[in-house]
Amino acid sequence: EAQVTQNPRYLITVTGKKLTVTCSQNMNHEYMSWYRQDPGLGLRQIYYSMNVEVTDKGDVPEGYKVSRKEKRNFPLILESPSPNQTSLYFCASSLGGPTYEQYFGPGTRLTVT
Amino acid sequence: AQSVTQLDSQVPVFEEAPVELRCNYSSSVSVYLFWYVQYPNQGLQLLLKYLSGSTLVKGINGFEAEFNKSQTSFHLRKPSVHISDTAEYFCAVSYQTGANNLFFGTGTRLTVIP
């Protein structure tokens, strides 16, 4: 089954404790992206990647890191999480760029206390 | 600066009635436009998109949208809604200049009333 998976689905952590949210897709997609969803703000793009070793900033990259060492995986790293990063995070992938249909993962709800 | 505005945060509508969800964008360059739907506790899925050609675009589940360049709008319509259409709807834009960002509006929550 074609899908985007994210882990964990729910995470509660404390300020400053490094964490990684994994994202994996099995569709051989070149483009992958991370978004955060906040009430009243919609989805905002954090980072995207056009291919292995190619990443670029989205709208709200501060406080986040990404890497793309393999085509299927695109982890999101929070080196020192803060409460304002409490949010619902979505990973997405597509064949090539945002003009193609984005396939979204189920989301990761992160709470930073 | 580019932006996407969804004018209505919530739209209640009775079952079998028509609905229009509004989306306006601002951009100094040509755009690609999208509507995505998010059902409760799920990720987003594509409803329809406009890249070029006919300004009336048909999507899944009986939805359609019309690109109006002069009014910089891309409103979503359905002639008769069902209970199962209850969801949040997001308009999104990307730019033809080669940038690979995707910008979303703040969303419109459609509630279909039996």
Side-chain angles (χ1 to χ4, degrees):
Chain A
E1 180 191 355
Q3 60 182 350
V4 178
T5 57
Q6 295 179 227
N7 282 293
R9 294 290 312 280
Y10 302 90
L11 180 60
I12 301 174
T13 190
V14 296
T15 299
K17 186 177 181 182
K18 181 179 178 179
L19 66 91
T20 299
V21 183
T22 64
C23 172
S24 183
Q25 50 92 6
N26 62 0
M27 296 169 278
N28 202 35
H29 284 169
E30 292 195 347
Y31 183 90
M32 297 186 75
S33 186
W34 275 103
Y35 300 88
R36 60 178 289 174
Q37 183 178 17
D38 301 289
L41 296 177
L43 278 84
R44 293 177 292 167
Q45 194 174 39
I46 302 170
Y47 270 96
Y48 66 88
S49 169
M50 285 301 295
N51 213 325
V52 174
E53 303 292 2
V54 181
T55 64
D56 208 347
K57 295 177 181 179
D59 221 11
V60 288
E62 295 77 20
Y64 304 94
K65 282 177 56 176
V66 293
S67 68
R68 188 93 180 271
K69 293 183 169 52
E70 303 168 282
K71 198 171 187 179
R72 63 184 292 125
N73 297 323
F74 191 45
L76 179 70
I77 303 156
L78 284 72
E79 296 265 1
S80 183
S82 62
N84 64 12
Q85 293 178 298
T86 292
S87 188
L88 179 58
Y89 291 87
F90 288 100
C91 180
S93 73
S94 71
L95 276 171
T99 56
Y100 291 84
E101 178 174 358
Q102 302 276 305
Y103 290 82
F104 282 79
T108 295
R109 188 167 292 281
L110 172 66
T111 301
V112 184
T113 60
Chain B
Q2 299 92 351
S3 71
V4 181
T5 302
Q6 291 183 244
L7 297 168
D8 305 300
S9 59
Q10 296 188 61
V11 173
V13 63
F14 285 103
E15 193 174 13
E16 297 183 8
V19 70
E20 178 180 83
L21 306 183
R22 296 180 292 171
C23 173
N24 287 85
Y25 68 92
S26 64
S27 175
S28 55
V29 301
S30 296
V31 297
Y32 301 119
L33 293 156
F34 310 84
W35 277 98
Y36 280 83
V37 59
Q38 184 179 33
Y39 297 105
N41 300 313
Q42 295 185 29
L44 282 73
Q45 62 184 89
L46 181 68
L47 266 182
L48 49 79
K49 64 181 177 181
Y50 171 79
L51 302 183
S52 65
S54 172
T55 57
L56 182 63
V57 180
K58 293 191 184 297
I60 61 171
N61 300 339
F63 283 92
E64 64 180 33
E66 186 153 21
F67 171 56
N68 187 320
K69 189 174 182 179
S70 62
Q71 297 188 8
T72 60
S73 67
F74 191 54
H75 299 334
L76 181 71
R77 302 187 185 98
K78 186 169 182 178
S80 175
V81 295
H82 303 290
I83 297 290
S84 59
D85 293 324
T86 294
E88 188 143 23
Y89 293 79
F90 292 93
C91 182
V93 61
S94 67
Y95 302 96
Q96 296 186 19
T97 52
N100 292 302
N101 305 80
L102 186 61
F103 297 93
F104 283 85
T106 52
T108 297
R109 183 168 298 280
L110 174 65
T111 302
V112 180
I113 305 163

